[in-house]
Amino acid sequence: MEGKEGRSGTASSVIADWSLVFWTLCAVILPVLITLWCSFQRSRRQLLIRDIFRKSKHDWHYTDLFGQPSYCCVCAQHILQGAFCNCCGLRVSERCLRKADQLFLCKEIMMRSNGGAHSSMPHHWIRGNVPLCSCCMICKQQCGTQPKLCDYRCVWCQQTVHDECMMDCLTTEECTFGEFRDLIIPPYYLSTINQMRKDKRTNYEKVVPYCRKHWMPVIILTNTRSGNNMGETLLGEFKILLNPVQVFDLSKITPAKALQLCTLLPCNAVRVLVCGGDGTVGWVLDAIDEMKIKGQERYIPQVAVLPLGTGNDLSNTLGWGAGYAGEVPVEQILRNVMEADGIKLDRWKVQVTNKGYYNLRKPKVFTMNNYFSIGPDALMALNFHAHREKTPSLFSSRIINKAVYFFYGTKDCLVQECKDLNKKVELELDGERIELPNLEGIIVLNIGYWGGGCRLWEGMGDEPYPLARHDDGLLEVVGVHGSFHCAQIQVKLANPVRLGQAHTVRLILKSSKMPMQVDGEPWAQGPCTVTITHKTRALMLYHSGEQTDDDTSSMSEQDHVREQTDEDV
């Protein structure tokens, strides 16, 4: 009996152990299987959504959370997440995507031809999700006040109408394109141009009366890699307000190709808004120079800047500010572009010829819009560039970028890698050799701002000096004693060493290797001769907005620039 009891106790103990193992395995494996199943379903769902996005005529983008109360345009249900069209503004839930593609047309960039010329087009109404604080064009009362899918918005003129104010006659009324009619390229214009090209006619000027008398179409060129992810947001907002054909992402198309749209538009009327840093602006201006080489001078546009980079000195000089972070509505930016004044900007050729009897390489040639430098600020830019190349993901914020610059500037104050520069270089201004004092850096300026917002040539503003301008064919040449001296100049505690102004600058690096930069593009350079000569002039747009303290001292200069431009015109 005792043996039987012992065997039964052992069996029950084994069963209990296996039961424990079984439930332990279930507790571990079941969550893993559920996680894998959910991951599979999510990836499958994403593939389906991506396939719909790829085949759709809408410019769909998916979001996990809408920024304002939103309702599906198909099922009219309240939605927290889903897809929205960057062009027409449709918002739909995930399960209604296919149906939305079938039910709703997106903005047509070009009208379908029915054999005749067009000079107008009807409204294109989208129901629901109207902008906050918008008013009905009929009764002038606020729209979108009810917590449901209600009221209508025209995707072209941005006018809104109440459900009860939407009459049959209103659906056939012509669209006026709203506040930005002078900036929008109408779809009927492009359809007419397309027909003319098929007929091999190129007198596009005759099509302009179909549009408007003061028409100044704008082309938006956005570098989505500049700034703190602002480019993607701006692309969508500009596509909502304008014709999507006017808005280009420079990460997908080059400026040279995008600017060919100018050849289909009236001569000397196009304006280009470049959303990016100074490097992006230089890229666009190089593409405009290529248009001149191709004989397309009459189609050259005027260029405005929306600063998304780190330094933005050119943008600051032209009155567009030191950096954009979404504080100004896109509508106001377009108004500023319409009201901006045309000015000219000198562009310079920088030729770097290496020394040596056996040097068979061609000279390096750069185009300069802002400044050239050799010394501590070029060293900071070189260190920053090298660090960013290793870990680009860390440099997505303007604040972080400036903090890294500050770190390398502080480091150079202690190390002084560029000391005794005056013993290593010779400087000639318009063929006349300049005796250099004890310096660590030389900076050649074309524009008023340098180093992320400092007016270097003016310094503290307590000494008489000839004014610096960016359209007079003259360069300003200054010296600095080191990184600490640069920091003192930026906070107006010191003046630079003003070496002079010149039409041509020649700098000879006799020995050793030194850091150099042109418009923020740095490199380490051995013995060479650097020659800076005038190349061309670019047509820019100057925004005379609110003046900062630094701008007050140069207001007379800018007034003189505009007067000179008016005289030239």
Side-chain angles (χ1 to χ4, degrees), residues 414-564:
L414 303 174
V415 179
Q416 293 184 320
E417 293 183 36
C418 303
K419 63 181 179 180
D420 298 328
L421 179 70
N422 53 298
K423 298 176 183 178
K424 301 173 185 176
V425 302
E426 293 179 4
L427 178 67
E428 294 180 5
L429 302 183
D430 290 335
E432 181 180 345
R433 184 171 174 180
I434 304 297
E435 290 296 326
L436 297 174
N438 186 24
L439 297 173
E440 285 191 27
I442 295 173
I443 304 166
V444 181
L445 298 162
N446 178 48
I447 60 176
Y449 284 92
W450 164 87
C454 167
R455 296 193 69 88
L456 182 61
W457 179 252
E458 282 83 348
M460 294 190 295
D462 59 344
E463 298 176 359
Y465 50 84
L467 285 175
R469 285 170 46 189
H470 46 260
D471 70 335
D472 57 357
L474 282 173
L475 293 166
E476 287 70 45
V477 186
V478 302
V480 292
H481 297 301
S483 297
F484 186 69
H485 185 207
C486 290
Q488 287 180 307
I489 296 171
Q490 286 189 321
V491 294
K492 293 184 176 293
L493 292 178
N495 285 315
V497 180
R498 298 187 185 92
L499 301 174
Q501 293 177 300
H503 298 89
T504 303
V505 176
R506 190 163 177 260
L507 188 144
I508 303 169
L509 179 59
K510 297 180 290 187
S511 61
S512 73
K513 206 175 217 183
M514 293 294 291
M516 294 184 181
Q517 70 154 333
V518 174
D519 290 352
E521 295 298 325
W523 74 97
Q525 178 64 48
C528 67
T529 300
V530 180
T531 307
I532 306 177
T533 54
H534 193 271
K535 180 182 179 182
T536 185
R537 279 184 173 179
L539 300 176
M540 308 298 290
L541 289 170
Y542 177 81
H543 171 51
S544 52
E546 294 182 4
Q547 299 289 331
T548 63
D549 293 339
D550 285 342
D551 291 331
T552 305
S553 62
S554 63
M555 281 188 66
S556 60
E557 170 197 348
Q558 299 295 350
D559 293 339
H560 182 73
V561 169
R562 289 196 292 276
E563 290 172 8
Q564 186 68 33

Side-chain angles (χ1 to χ4, degrees), residues 29-47:
I29 294 174
L30 193 60
V32 173
L33 291 175
I34 293 173
T35 303
L36 290 174
W37 183 82
C38 291
S39 177
F40 171 75
Q41 290 296 326
R42 182 177 176 84
S43 61
R44 184 168 171 268
R45 194 183 73 211
Q46 287 176 344
L47 284 174

Side-chain angles (χ1 to χ4, degrees), residues 389-405:
E389 287 292 311
K390 290 179 182 177
T391 53
S393 59
L394 295 178
F395 295 85
S396 59
S397 167
R398 191 179 292 128
I399 295 174
I400 292 175
N401 293 351
K402 291 190 175 184
V404 174
Y405 265 106

